[in-house]
Amino acid sequence: MRSSSTPILVGILALLPGAAWCADVELTSAGYLAQLFGALVLVIAAILGLAWLLRRLPGGVGRAADQPISILAVRAIGARDRLLLVQVGEEQLLIAAGATGMRTLHRLRKPVSVAPPENGGGVDFATLLKQSLSRRGRS
């Protein structure tokens, strides 16, 4: 059972300049089309995976140090609940964030001093990978 769009797809592939390097491969073969589609899916999955990884790593894309609002500390208090210490200008707020929303718990009169991390702001990938592998080995 062949699809009626197969000849159209083969015709489009024949017009592509990148198809010239594979002149010895028969363009009508289903194996070649499957290999081409599989490679496309693999490249798109790699791009999406790297984008997800960059967003999950501390100090990732789009985080600037000169922002007027910054999160100084985060503490997990449940599966989906967190406490956040947020600096807004000169004021510090303690905020609870959970599945139902966010709520200001306290406005601090005296700002809490938070020590910067040892390596200047972010954990490098090698350290995160070692920690993750060591945790996986223990469980």
Side-chain angles (χ1 to χ4, degrees):
M1 291 180 54
R2 282 201 149 170
S3 170
S4 62
S5 63
T6 303
I8 296 170
L9 185 60
V10 170
I12 291 172
L13 288 174
L15 294 176
L16 293 175
W21 62 270
C22 59
D24 59 337
V25 176
E26 186 178 325
L27 285 179
T28 59
S29 71
Y32 174 73
L33 292 177
Q35 183 181 10
L36 182 69
F37 182 74
L40 178 65
V41 168
L42 185 66
V43 168
I44 290 173
I47 290 171
L48 292 175
L50 287 173
W52 176 82
L53 184 65
L54 283 175
R55 290 187 66 185
R56 301 296 291 177
L57 288 176
V61 178
R63 294 184 176 99
D66 59 346
Q67 296 276 334
I69 299 174
S70 62
I71 298 175
L72 301 177
V74 177
R75 174 72 57 162
I77 56 174
R80 297 182 68 185
D81 300 321
R82 308 247 185 278
L83 285 177
L84 293 91
L85 180 60
V86 179
Q87 178 86 33
V88 181
E90 298 294 320
E91 188 175 18
Q92 288 185 349
L93 305 168
L94 184 62
I95 297 175
T100 58
M102 299 178 81
R103 181 175 177 200
T104 303
L105 297 177
H106 189 68
R107 294 178 192 271
L108 300 169
R109 293 183 186 155
K110 289 174 107 179
V112 176
S113 62
V114 179
E118 302 162 355
N119 60 357
V123 180
D124 62 335
F125 180 74
T127 305
L128 287 173
L129 183 62
K130 285 179 187 176
Q131 289 174 352
S132 175
L133 291 175
S134 67
R135 281 188 214 136
R136 182 175 281 171
R138 281 188 241 151
S139 53

